[in-house]
Amino acid sequence: MGYGVVFIGKGNAFMGDFRKLVEDCGYEVRAGGRDQQADSRDLCVYEVADKDDLKLLMEMGGRLQAEPFLVFATLDAADWLQPLKEAGLMGVVSPASSAEDASFLLNKALFYKKMLKRNPRIQVNLPVELKSGARTIRTNASLLSRDGMFIVTLNPLPVNALCELRFSLPSMPLETAARVLYNISINKDLNIIADPKDPFKRLVSHPGMAVFFTGLSDSEKEEIDGYIKALE
């Protein structure tokens, strides 16, 4: 089954050019009311045509679980929707959006949807030891996937820095080389500097660094997959 796009709302906003654009991009389209249920492979597009739609979507924000989604707004609500970026909002499409802009947002959101599904991650509190040169950090990882983890530290390594990691799953200890993909620091006022536009970073609420495992075998990655599934 391929990826599809589910329109959630009254439906009137989805009958025109935007629906045709989605179909032209090769995605299956399903439209339903506000209670429409989406499959795990579907990208949701929520209609905001009036203040009631806006209020309902804002109330839903805490239940969207950081899954990428779009909004189709005939109401000028872009500023009001900014807080939903942390819930997964990837962009706002309107009747005035060009086909190029709408197509870009659609494909971007579906790309992130595919990436998150292909590489599931889970929140953890996992002790980890990191070594880089003469430096050793003993701390915890807060996010884990088969390909990497987010390590909590006030003094993250620079991007592309190499390190060695040690951590343990219930089934086995693991050691691997890793590379820093990005880091998140704090400013002088102790405010987190993150990127709420990026689905991979917006789950993070503390300083640290994301590392990509470069030395795990397929069987070791499968052990991590099993651990993640057991915690879901």
Side-chain angles (χ1 to χ4, degrees):
M1 182 178 64
Y3 284 82
V5 176
V6 177
F7 295 148
I8 299 177
K10 301 182 186 70
N12 295 333
F14 303 133
M15 295 301 107
D17 293 340
F18 183 59
R19 180 180 183 124
K20 185 176 185 303
L21 182 145
V22 173
E23 292 172 336
D24 288 346
C25 287
Y27 302 114
E28 179 184 353
V29 175
R30 291 195 289 119
R34 288 175 172 171
D35 296 326
Q36 174 76 35
Q37 297 296 311
D39 184 86
S40 62
R41 295 171 66 88
D42 290 331
L43 172 71
C44 292
V45 180
Y46 294 92
E47 179 184 14
V48 176
D50 53 39
K51 291 183 178 180
D52 287 340
D53 290 341
L54 179 60
K55 180 181 178 181
L56 183 64
L57 189 58
M58 297 300 291
E59 290 173 351
M60 290 175 58
R63 306 194 301 271
L64 294 176
Q65 300 180 339
E67 282 284 328
F69 68 93
L70 295 177
V71 163
F72 188 97
T74 54
L75 181 73
D76 185 10
D79 291 339
W80 291 96
L81 291 167
Q82 290 301 311
L84 288 176
K85 287 187 175 180
E86 292 196 14
L89 176 63
M90 299 293 296
V92 178
V93 181
S94 76
S97 299
S98 68
E100 291 78 10
D101 288 345
S103 178
F104 172 78
L105 285 175
L106 177 70
N107 286 302
K108 177 183 177 182
L110 277 160
F111 168 77
Y112 278 118
K113 180 85 174 180
K114 293 174 185 177
M115 288 297 294
L116 289 172
K117 185 172 180 64
R118 188 179 304 155
N119 186 15
R121 61 208 61 217
I122 195 166
Q123 292 184 334
V124 294
N125 187 23
L126 192 67
V128 59
E129 180 182 274
L130 177 152
K131 290 187 177 182
S132 180
R135 184 178 175 188
T136 299
I137 300 174
R138 293 181 178 87
T139 181
N140 291 319
S142 62
L143 290 173
L144 176 68
S145 78
R146 74 189 324 261
D147 289 327
M149 60 172 47
F150 188 88
I151 297 173
V152 179
T153 175
L154 291 173
N155 299 294
L157 299 175
V159 173
N160 287 326
L162 301 177
C163 58
E164 296 288 331
L165 301 177
R166 289 184 180 181
F167 59 98
S168 292
L169 303 179
S171 59
M172 64 187 301
L174 293 172
E175 295 185 23
T176 179
R179 180 184 296 273
V180 177
L181 293 179
Y182 65 82
N183 53 44
I184 294 177
S185 58
I186 56 177
N187 63 19
K188 63 181 180 180
D189 298 317
L190 299 184
N191 292 320
I192 301 299
I193 303 174
D195 186 355
K197 297 179 182 179
D198 189 322
F200 296 103
K201 298 183 185 180
R202 66 167 169 259
L203 295 177
V204 176
S205 59
H206 35 244
M209 55 191 162
V211 298
F212 179 77
F213 303 142
T214 60
L216 289 182
S217 66
D218 289 342
S219 62
E220 288 171 325
K221 290 183 178 182
E222 288 172 2
E223 288 291 330
I224 295 177
D225 284 339
Y227 176 67
I228 290 173
K229 289 178 181 177
L231 292 179
E232 287 179 336

